[in-house]
Amino acid sequence: MENTENICTDLIPIQAKANTIPLPPPLPKSAITSHFQKSRVSSESLERGYSCVSTATRDLWDGLFDEAYGADVYIHTDHGGIVYAHAYILGMTSPVLKGMLKQSKKSGRKRSISIHGVPPDAVKVFIRYLYSCRYEKEEMEEFVLPLLMLSHVYVVPQLKRECERQLGRGLLTLENVVDVFQLALLCDAPRLSLLCHRMILKNFKAVSSSEAWQAMQQSHPVLEKELLGSVVDEDNRQKKRVKKMNERKIYLELFEAMETLVHICRDGCRTIGPHDKDFKVNQPPCKYAACKGLELLIRHFAGCKLRAPGGCTQCKRMWQLLELHSHLCADSNLCRVPLCRNFKDRSKKQGRKDEVKWKLLVKKILWTKGVARTPFFLTTETI
């Protein structure tokens, strides 16, 4: 005890000394503000996705392009346009442009190359991107297709990915999807071509009436034929999916009807059930959705004068349910469903074709419900 008290006594002055250590001075407000502003600017630039470099660096390279300071390359475009650039930047950002510059003719210290087949402004946006990895939103919306083609031809993968991303985020429309699809095939852009293909199949009626589709009919009839084949295949697949969904719904309803039939014949429900069942006045709601309909069917079956199979549509349905139950029932000797054993004995005398038909139906019902075997339809009181 004395040692413990001594230790505690020794700790008191140490803690007191620790409390007397001065706190570090706060950071200047300007430093905190500039730090958060920098982080906010960088995060905003990343969210916009227009630039991969800082604002200062971007402005510096943009200024170099806009002012053409020390430019040593003339890029000739359609309609007599000229874009000034720097050979070392073009060569470092595009291996194709690098090869063109090596083969170009010199005029003093100047070199000259040509980029034709796209709007002159699109060439300017493309070259500007090589400087600062930057573009304006309006420029991308207007020249996304020429930029995609230029980025593929001159091997600028960053710009190519950005064009694909922007098309996938809203620039792909019903009016341009046919043109984009053809360009995606030419530019080896599989993901973009898949997006276009899906949009064409989903909106085929609207797309097939567009001017782009009519132009494709004249220029690429083979591609049109392939797309029409894809539409037919997709339509067939859709029909198969609908058919399977409807079949699944029917099998689930049959399974529920079998459960409800066992429930009524074993436990009773509301005012119908085994002859030795005592019905309570206030019964809880039945958990089987098909119970009410099956109860009405059983009452009709019990009182119908045309009960023979084929004589009454409702009675015929009841006969089929009873026979289906017999094929699902695990033990007809213990079963309380009417005529279960009779149908069991009758099934042994059926032909091979009928036997296969019933077995296939039972298999599909159990498979749809996820049941591997039939003992779920035992109707003894122990279940």
Side-chain angles (χ1 to χ4, degrees), residues 282-295:
N282 296 322
Q283 296 187 30
C286 183
K287 66 177 182 178
Y288 295 101
C291 192
K292 183 63 177 177
L294 192 57
E295 177 184 344

Side-chain angles (χ1 to χ4, degrees), residues 356-380:
V356 172
K357 179 185 69 174
W358 283 106
K359 283 185 177 180
L360 182 60
L361 178 59
V362 168
K363 182 180 179 181
K364 288 184 176 181
I365 291 174
L366 297 178
W367 181 83
T368 302
K369 191 62 179 179
V371 179
R373 50 200 179 100
T374 58
F376 287 88
F377 293 96
L378 283 173
T379 56
T380 60

Side-chain angles (χ1 to χ4, degrees), residues 118-155:
V118 294
D121 289 340
V123 177
K124 186 176 180 181
V125 174
F126 172 69
I127 300 300
R128 180 188 182 189
Y129 185 88
L130 299 183
Y131 278 74
S132 62
C133 295
R134 179 181 182 272
Y135 62 86
E136 298 296 333
K137 182 179 179 181
E138 295 77 12
E139 295 172 341
M140 178 59 74
E141 292 176 351
E142 184 177 359
F143 301 117
V144 61
L145 297 187
L147 289 175
L148 176 61
M149 184 177 67
L150 290 170
S151 63
H152 174 73
V153 171
Y154 295 102
V155 192

Side-chain angles (χ1 to χ4, degrees), residues 20-255:
T20 59
I21 296 175
L23 297 172
L27 290 172
K29 258 187 180 180
S30 59
I32 297 175
T33 306
S34 62
H35 169 73
F36 281 109
Q37 284 179 345
K38 287 179 182 178
S39 63
R40 182 171 59 84
V41 169
S42 61
S43 63
E44 287 179 354
S45 64
L46 289 175
E47 287 177 3
R48 284 198 300 264
Y50 302 153
S51 176
C52 300
V53 296
S54 64
T55 305
T57 305
R58 182 190 65 190
D59 293 342
L60 177 66
W61 290 105
D62 276 346
L64 181 64
F65 171 74
D66 293 335
E67 297 176 11
Y69 179 76
D72 56 353
V73 178
Y74 298 149
I75 302 175
H76 297 277
T77 64
D78 291 346
H79 309 298
I82 296 178
V83 178
Y84 300 97
H86 300 79
Y88 63 91
I89 292 179
L90 299 183
M92 290 296 294
T93 53
S94 170
V96 178
L97 290 174
K98 185 177 182 179
M100 292 173 63
L101 289 171
K102 287 182 178 180
Q103 297 177 3
S104 63
K105 294 181 180 180
K106 286 187 178 181
S107 176
R109 299 180 60 184
K110 307 289 185 181
R111 298 174 184 269
S112 177
I113 60 175
S114 299
I115 298 179
H116 296 291
V118 294
D121 289 340
V123 177
K124 186 176 180 181
V125 174
F126 172 69
I127 300 300
R128 180 188 182 189
Y129 185 88
L130 299 183
Y131 278 74
S132 62
C133 295
R134 179 181 182 272
Y135 62 86
E136 298 296 333
K137 182 179 179 181
E138 295 77 12
E139 295 172 341
M140 178 59 74
E141 292 176 351
E142 184 177 359
F143 301 117
V144 61
L145 297 187
L147 289 175
L148 176 61
M149 184 177 67
L150 290 170
S151 63
H152 174 73
V153 171
Y154 295 102
V155 192
V156 185
Q158 301 91 339
L159 180 58
K160 185 178 179 180
R161 286 194 297 268
E162 186 62 22
C163 292
E164 293 181 29
R165 190 172 72 91
Q166 292 298 329
L167 283 166
R169 294 181 63 180
L171 296 184
L172 186 63
T173 63
L174 296 179
E175 288 74 22
N176 67 7
V177 64
V178 175
D179 294 331
V180 176
F181 181 60
Q182 297 178 78
L183 189 59
L185 294 176
L186 294 173
C187 294
D188 190 23
R191 182 178 178 276
L192 181 59
S193 62
L194 179 61
L195 290 175
C196 296
H197 191 263
R198 288 177 176 174
M199 181 177 283
I200 291 173
L201 296 184
K202 188 177 180 181
N203 307 276
F204 180 73
K205 187 175 181 180
V207 173
S208 60
S209 61
S210 63
E211 295 181 1
W213 182 273
Q214 296 174 6
M216 184 188 65
Q217 288 178 323
Q218 302 297 326
S219 59
H220 297 89
V222 176
L223 182 59
E224 183 206 10
K225 186 177 180 180
E226 292 179 357
L227 285 174
L228 291 175
S230 299
V231 171
V232 173
D233 293 341
E234 179 63 23
D235 186 51
N236 291 335
R237 284 193 294 268
Q238 183 66 23
K239 289 179 179 178
K240 287 182 180 179
R241 283 194 291 267
V242 173
K243 183 180 179 181
K244 286 184 178 180
M245 290 176 61
N246 292 335
E247 288 179 352
R248 175 180 171 81
K249 183 180 178 182
I250 292 172
Y251 294 146
L252 291 175
E253 289 176 351
L254 287 175
F255 189 92

